[in-house]
Amino acid sequence: GENVEQHPSTLSVQEGDSAVIKCTYSDSASNYFPWYKQELGKRPQLIIDIRSNVGEKKDQRIAVTLNKTAKHFSLHITETQPEDSAVYFCAVGGSNYKLTFGKGTLLTVNP
Amino acid sequence: GAGVSQSPSNKVTEKGKDVELRCDPISGHTALYWYRQSLGQGLEFLIYFQGNSAPDKSGLPSDRFSAERTGGSVSTLTIQRTQQEDSAVYLCASSLVAGTQETQYFGPGTRLLVL
């Protein structure tokens, strides 16, 4: 089955700095790559997703890049703010419904 | 509109007891998923429903776990003879169209503690 590795497991940045979280996957047939944000005690919420026919997608301060050849994708958050502090999960989907999640990255943005 | 809801929000039970966890998906969503999230871990897929049928039960950890969905809406996850290792947050998600990659909307989860 699909294997998803996510790094780093924890990330601490100063407010205003950028944060980058990376994920690798094993199944070359995978074609859907969402990112979820989970604040403490809250439900995971989709923040951005990308499909395999696109190399990069941006939404305000958040961007995702995809390298299908190398089988990795990354989440980029610019101008970080304290409210960006949360656990971020990458996920990988294939031709069916199933998502395989990474183990998460705890991002702390220090004021 | 209303999002995915789950009940109870918290459940404390004794080892060996059975528990039922409920999920109300977003109205009109045909696909429903159950995940388990242990402390500091990612989301572990348990089962997927397409309408009322479950084409993939591969993630259920043991035969003590079962789930059903009725009327294409509400789903119940049942854990029989609970064990301490079952303690986790159980998350439900739904998406609009079954069988495709659509955004999954999560419920708030049920925090299960088995003593």
Side-chain angles (χ1 to χ4, degrees), chain A residues 36 38 43 51 94 96-97, chain B residues 4 37 56 101 104 106-107:
Chain A
Y36 283 82
Q38 186 175 30
R43 70 189 76 191
R51 297 184 189 268
N96 56 21
Y97 56 89
Chain B
V4 179
Q37 185 173 28
D56 188 345
Q101 289 295 359
Q104 294 188 20
F106 282 85

Side-chain angles (χ1 to χ4, degrees), chain B residues 14 18 72:
Chain B
E14 293 179 346
D18 297 352

